[in-house]
């Protein structure tokens, strides 16, 4: 049985996981430094880096112990590590740790693209799925629609031309005086509000697969200044409906243009959003395809998804060289 140990440190989560080639997750440990960033309304790179430095070794040790492995000489076959995109200081800590473990235990390591990791997350829960699928990858840093012809065979159809969907959630939440990260806060409030109370534009209605969220954020600011009497829950519900509508409209276009699609998947932190999950389920049933909605812990950053992508890359491209460096801006389209 081929076993991978994966390490993920691209943002504020220090994560490690052991996964086998059949994509069974033997352990998955996540230590977040989010509490240190809350007061600043966003992730502070220096604080994230320092937190990774102190937590990386205990997190790896716990992932090995949870998987029933000897933490001093684990019987693993490969170490997968996120080498980009992300915060450079944070990436370097995970990458250096992975290289050190690889040298100490005499096992190969493989650098993994964080976005490709997110694309593998739905597979961990549905290894039997049929291809091709379309994935809406929406997180704090990225928003894109990706056609996947098979594992590791992806084609980016469109992406945001400005803010990511999660970034828009966080910025609007900040404007409304809500805690960081704002996505879950707005989602929770939206459940008690009425969508459409605030009249907001639906951007990017053209014949493409791109998104735009910065105009929507500005529209929320303008509309709430003009209508200060509107309840925060109604603002949250109106904003959430406008974001989902834009995302779902482009997913629908993809399903119409690609009748061979077998499933529609959500990935990334915003995939935890209740309106989006509901919308994807409805869309999937309308088009007679499978809705792949990963559990919430698989939507947000974790190392199990990095292990899954790493196992694929190791089998197809072989190990990485020790000269491998962190790539903070590594685009998904450059992965092959
Ligand atoms: O993938 P992720 O954990 O980190 C990266 O950005 O890579 O995504 C975090 C983002 C944050 O912007 C957060 O506000 C958003 O996902 N998010 C949500 C929800 N849960 C997390 N956005 C909308 N609704 C949610 N329920
Ligand atoms: Zn992520």
């Amino acid at each position: 049985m081929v076993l991978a140990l994966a390490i993920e440190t691209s943002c504020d989560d220090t994560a490690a996981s052991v996964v086998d080639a059949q994509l069974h997750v033997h352990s998955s440990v996540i230590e977040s430094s989010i509490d240190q960033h809350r007061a600043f309304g966003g992730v502070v790179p220096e604080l994230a880096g320092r937190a990774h430095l102190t937590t990386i070794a205990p997190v790896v040790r716990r992932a090995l112990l949870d998987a029933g492995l000897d933490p001093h000489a684990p019987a693993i076959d490969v170490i997968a590590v996120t080498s980009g995109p992300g915060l450079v200081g944070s990436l370097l800590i995970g990458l250096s740790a992975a290289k050190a473990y690889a040298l100490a235990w005499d096992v190969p390591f493989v650098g993994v693209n964080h976005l490709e990791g997110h694309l593998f997350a739905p597979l961990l829960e549905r290894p039997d799925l049929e291809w091709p699928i379309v994935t809406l990858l929406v997180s704090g840093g990225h928003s894109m629609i990706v056609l996947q012809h098979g594992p590791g065979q992806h084609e980016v159809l469109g992406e945001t031309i400005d803010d990511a969907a999660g970034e828009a959630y966080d910025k609007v939440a900040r404007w409304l005086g809500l805690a960081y990260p704002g996505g879950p806060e707005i989602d929770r409030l939206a459940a008690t509000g009425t969508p459409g109370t605030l009249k907001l534009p639906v951007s990017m209605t053209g014949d493409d697969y791109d998104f735009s969220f910065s105009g929507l954020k500005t529209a929320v600011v303008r509309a709430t200044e003009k209508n200060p009497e509107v309840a925060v829950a109604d603002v949250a519900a109106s904003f959430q409906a406008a974001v989902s509508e834009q995302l779902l409209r482009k997913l629908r276009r993809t399903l119409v243009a690609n009748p061979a699609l077998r499933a529609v998947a959500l990935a990334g932190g915003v995939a935890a959003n209740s309106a989006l999950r509901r919308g994807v389920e409805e869309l999937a049933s309308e088009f007679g395809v499978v809705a792949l909605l990963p559990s919430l812990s698989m939507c947000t950053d974790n190392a199990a998804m990095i292990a899954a992508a790493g196992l694929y890359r190791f089998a197809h491209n072989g190990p990485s060289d020790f000269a491998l460096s962190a790539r903070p801006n590594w685009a998904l389209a450059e992965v092959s």
Side-chain angles (χ1 to χ4, degrees):
M1 179 175 59
V2 176
L3 265 192
L5 164 71
I7 295 175
E8 152 67 38
T9 61
S10 66
C11 193
D12 60 309
D13 295 310
T14 314
S17 171
V18 175
V19 176
D20 66 38
Q22 276 70 51
L23 300 190
H24 295 131
V25 179
H26 295 231
S27 66
S28 182
V29 178
I30 303 173
E31 224 11 90
S32 175
S33 62
I34 195 84
D35 289 341
Q36 296 182 43
H37 307 289
R38 264 188 237 285
F40 302 95
V43 174
V44 182
E46 287 78 4
L47 292 179
R50 266 181 238 165
H52 288 308
L53 210 48
T54 51
T55 48
I56 185 85
V59 163
V60 167
R61 183 182 157 81
R62 207 156 86 227
L64 293 170
L65 286 170
D66 286 358
L69 296 168
D70 175 358
H72 301 293
I76 52 163
D77 302 283
V78 61
I79 298 173
V81 58
T82 305
S83 54
L87 303 171
V88 68
S90 294
L91 288 168
L92 280 170
I93 291 163
L95 189 55
S96 306
K99 288 179 184 176
Y101 288 123
L103 272 177
W105 299 330
D106 194 23
V107 291
F109 84 100
V110 61
V112 172
N113 181 287
H114 178 83
L115 301 172
E116 185 166 58
H118 274 300
L119 294 181
F120 271 83
L123 275 65
L124 284 160
E125 293 173 333
R126 291 290 291 267
D128 57 329
L129 75 96
E130 293 178 30
W131 307 91
I133 70 172
V134 58
T135 304
L136 176 65
L137 170 49
V138 271
S139 71
H142 301 87
S143 296
M144 50 180 73
I145 289 194
V146 186
L147 264 190
Q148 288 177 269
H149 304 286
Q153 296 166 41
H154 30 74
E155 186 187 333
V156 179
L157 289 185
E159 52 197 318
T160 182
I161 58 167
D162 42 53
D163 290 352
E167 192 179 354
Y169 263 97
D170 295 338
K171 285 179 175 170
V172 166
R174 192 171 186 174
W175 166 251
L176 296 175
L178 304 173
Y180 173 83
E185 297 290 317
I186 290 186
D187 198 1
R188 193 173 45 77
L189 269 173
T192 60
T194 308
T197 309
L198 273 192
K199 299 288 167 251
L200 298 171
V202 173
S203 326
M204 305 298 279
T205 53
D207 286 350
D208 56 36
Y209 299 95
D210 290 333
F211 304 114
S212 166
F213 296 104
S214 94
L216 180 58
K217 175 201 65 198
T218 309
V220 171
V221 171
R222 295 261 156 77
T224 48
E225 277 173 345
K226 225 167 121 191
N227 308 283
E229 74 288 353
V230 175
V232 179
D234 292 333
V235 177
S238 303
F239 168 71
Q240 176 145 302
V243 172
S244 307
E245 191 173 335
Q246 189 187 150
L247 294 169
L248 293 167
R249 187 186 289 251
K250 298 296 167 93
L251 261 187
R252 171 183 290 278
R253 269 182 63 76
T254 312
L255 285 160
V256 169
N258 299 275
L261 285 169
R262 306 301 295 265
V264 48
L266 277 179
V270 184
N273 186 261
S274 58
L276 195 55
R277 292 173 87 87
R278 247 188 336 264
V280 165
E281 264 174 343
E282 284 166 13
L283 208 55
S285 95
E286 182 188 333
F287 282 83
V289 300
V290 172
L292 291 169
L293 305 178
S295 59
L296 300 192
S297 59
M298 275 299 163
C299 294
T300 45
D301 290 349
N302 64 84
M305 68 184 197
I306 301 302
L311 281 159
Y312 177 86
R313 284 294 150 211
F314 182 61
H316 289 80
N317 304 13
S320 295
D321 192 89
F322 272 89
L324 181 74
S325 194
R327 294 176 69 180
N329 300 311
W330 189 10
L332 181 62
E334 293 171 61
V335 180
S336 63

